[in-house]
Amino acid sequence: MPLQISSLEEYQSVYQQSIREPEAFWAAQAETFYWQKKWDKVLEWDFKKPDVKWFSGGKLNITENCLDRHLESKGDQTAIIWEPNDPNETVKKYTFRELHAAVCKAANALKVLGIEKGDRVCFYMPMVPELAIGVLACARIGAVHSVVFAGFSANALADRIKDATCKMVICSDFNKRGQKVIPVKSVVDEAIALGCSSVETVLVHKNTGGDIVWDEKIDQWWHNIVDIQTPQCPAEPMDAEDMLFILYTSGSTGKPKGVVHTCGGYMVYTTFSFKNVFQYKEGDVYWCTADIGWITGHSYIVYGPLSAGATTIMFEGVPTFPDAGRFWQICDKHKVNQFYTAPTAIRALMAKGDEFVDAYDLSSLKVIGSVGEPINEEAWHWYNEKVGKKRCPIVDTWWQTETGGIMITPLPNITDTKPCYAAYPMPGIQPVLLDSDGNEITENEAEGLLCVRFPWPSMLRTTYGDHERCKNTYFAAFENHYFTGDGARRDADGRYRIIGRVDDVINVSGHRMGTAEVENAINEHSNVVESAVVGYPHAIKGQGIYAYVIVNETVSDETVFRTEVCEVVRREIGAIAKPDKIQLVSGLPKTRSGKIMRRILRKIAANDTENLGDVSTLLNPDIVESVIEGRLKE
Ligand code: WT7
């Protein structure tokens, strides 16, 4: 197992060493894993291209590290606890031995169905054990998984399937969420009908049962094929730099891009960070409430915890079913030791009242974590007092789909915590603040653009099928730096506070959304001429979506129109991208060169119109007043 830091002095000295001798540091961590063949070179890198290779020449299979290597010492220990949507249904538990067998069977099934090393397999599934099993089965045989969050629409799913030319889609029949049963397989059918010609097989896991349309030519039942396989499957030897998975994420322009992570470095870093950030100890029960459709689920439900030999919980349901005490009921029921969730969930539950949390015994908790968006001070204190009872350090973890693992965070009971601060860099992570000209801001108590100046093992390697885009998005803004897209502040003691995105990306309930993407969806409405989308402060979601829309023909019923626009967005992207507010405007403030002045629109949406700055240089300064007048309050 990689090093587990246990004191402040150790953190400080390890951090210094990791910066002074990064190769020696990461080689020492990597040594603790099971490699089929050792690497030739720890690190080669060039951010200009970018070209980053960790542990090249090394051969490994991440599933041997997540499963096989634990069999002897903890084969009978629980690897996954699956908690169903309905608390009255039966919990499922998989020991490492059982999980190993299940993964091998699924891997053999994939092979029978023609999946080979390097093929892409798309997952569109709810939080059922078969999702984790399927993902690991891909890794076992060297297939590349691309998990698409099951809340995305058929259009969004089709875009992702096509971009990665997936050969197979693995899905469920239906998804249970609270009292709702949501169709899943029919969304895949719809996506395939949109021309996903690369898909040869749709492998369907029967979750609820119920009527689905069946196409004998491509549909296969999971149970028919997986259940009859043998529970052994050799682990494909993977080069450290072979692709492990693709995960799509939104940017400020264009369609979502497929962030590519590779096997060796990702394994080392997610395991190392998991052990340290959560201070996981033998026998602990760890729970991350994320969905495996996002990077948090990949790194900190599946790979990091399993590789570290931890017991990890997978929860099928939602925080408010059957009531707002569900999270705490689960913590109590399974005696959870480390709990990791998102600020939006904390704020939503905080709003429901303290009685839901007070009803349960949370004395097993040792560390509580937050991820995905800035946690505001009020939510931080509530989490600290009501959930952590002031005895559990809050780890406010800053990272991104692209970083693969947690980059900036307190280490519990090692470094201090401070509300709103993600605090200190992890060993091996070299964050810097730059000004807009690319000069480094070296002093403390300063604000700047958050960049990273040295590679770390789990960083993205490319964006699938478009390396130029990777370069332009992350490595072109500032020479020799990875640019995160976030602004940050560093306090007098060197702690980082993440302020938020500085590009046209908004963060709604911890979900990343490109404003351009939402605009493109809105523009699909036949009566929409042009639109502009900005984020605005939202009490629960962190940011809400505010859309300014210019229509062609006068709208007679605005309520109907808004419903239609939301429906178009739901169809194009998914319900998570539906605007919270839609304001009809006669024009949008633009610069003389025709660029929409989002800065002004953001201020209007936030009701911060006192200080709009100079608008006289706009192409259409008069429009500002009328947009302000029409502002939607509630
Ligand atoms: C963006 C990345 C990484 C897991 C989930 C989100 C924001 C993430 C924090 C935090 C403030 C945060 C940033 C970042 N973000 N964690 N602790 N404090 N902001 O992954 O969808 O790739 O989004 O989320 O703006 O750039 P993602």
Side-chain angles (χ1 to χ4, degrees), residues 340-393:
Y340 192 30
T341 197
T344 187
I346 298 168
R347 288 190 296 263
L349 297 178
M350 180 171 84
K352 302 276 183 186
D354 295 353
E355 61 273 22
F356 292 104
V357 53
D358 291 341
Y360 297 98
D361 175 9
L362 298 180
S363 59
S364 57
L365 290 176
K366 296 194 282 192
V367 176
I368 54 179
S370 169
V371 60
E373 44 172 327
I375 177 165
N376 51 304
E377 194 144 0
E378 192 192 355
W380 193 96
H381 285 296
W382 187 83
Y383 198 31
N384 182 38
E385 283 157 33
K386 286 290 149 186
V387 180
K389 318 288 182 201
K390 295 190 182 167
R391 11 165 236 97
C392 304

Side-chain angles (χ1 to χ4, degrees), residues 163-383:
D163 188 76
T165 52
C166 294
K167 205 163 161 185
M168 179 186 277
V169 179
I170 305 185
C171 67
S172 294
D173 51 356
F174 295 91
N175 175 8
K176 289 180 262 181
R177 280 180 78 74
Q179 264 144 340
K180 287 187 268 184
V181 175
I182 300 163
V184 176
K185 164 70 162 64
S186 66
V187 181
V188 175
D189 294 344
E190 236 184 282
I192 305 265
L194 290 167
C196 299
S197 53
S198 58
V199 177
E200 294 171 5
T201 312
V202 176
L203 187 59
V204 187
H205 165 250
K206 190 183 270 185
N207 186 29
T208 56
D211 286 344
I212 52 175
V213 176
W214 197 258
D215 179 350
E216 290 291 342
K217 288 195 293 296
I218 64 168
D219 294 339
Q220 299 271 3
W221 280 115
W222 170 286
H223 58 261
N224 279 350
I225 302 195
V226 176
D227 292 359
I228 56 171
Q229 303 300 320
T230 58
Q232 285 97 32
C233 174
E236 185 69 31
M238 302 295 284
D239 192 277
E241 283 299 337
D242 278 342
M243 220 187 294
L244 175 62
F245 66 85
I246 304 168
L247 187 58
Y248 285 83
T249 191
S250 296
S252 49
T253 55
K255 292 206 162 165
K257 44 188 175 280
V259 168
V260 170
H261 285 288
T262 58
C263 297
Y266 178 82
M267 170 182 76
V268 171
Y269 194 81
T270 53
T271 313
F272 174 81
S273 52
F274 171 75
K275 284 217 68 156
N276 283 284
V277 174
F278 299 101
Q279 287 292 307
Y280 185 88
K281 299 279 179 333
E282 261 333 294
D284 283 350
V285 174
Y286 160 87
W287 180 24
C288 165
T289 69
D291 191 290
I292 293 175
W294 312 110
I295 190 69
T296 310
H298 282 62
S299 302
Y300 299 111
I301 295 177
V302 183
Y303 289 114
L306 293 176
S307 166
T311 302
T312 174
I313 297 183
M314 245 183 109
F315 174 42
E316 183 186 35
V318 295
T320 49
F321 177 77
D323 62 42
R326 188 64 195 280
F327 274 4
W328 324 123
Q329 178 256 336
I330 296 173
C331 286
D332 188 348
K333 177 175 176 182
H334 297 293
K335 301 292 163 231
V336 170
N337 301 110
Q338 292 90 2
F339 175 74
Y340 192 30
T341 197
T344 187
I346 298 168
R347 288 190 296 263
L349 297 178
M350 180 171 84
K352 302 276 183 186
D354 295 353
E355 61 273 22
F356 292 104
V357 53
D358 291 341
Y360 297 98
D361 175 9
L362 298 180
S363 59
S364 57
L365 290 176
K366 296 194 282 192
V367 176
I368 54 179
S370 169
V371 60
E373 44 172 327
I375 177 165
N376 51 304
E377 194 144 0
E378 192 192 355
W380 193 96
H381 285 296
W382 187 83
Y383 198 31

Side-chain angles (χ1 to χ4, degrees), residues 82-104:
W82 177 78
E83 171 68 29
N85 174 59
D86 181 339
N88 299 316
E89 278 174 30
T90 318
V91 170
K92 285 187 199 157
K93 290 186 182 178
Y94 292 79
T95 64
F96 277 98
R97 201 179 316 286
E98 289 163 345
L99 185 60
H100 177 268
V103 168
C104 286

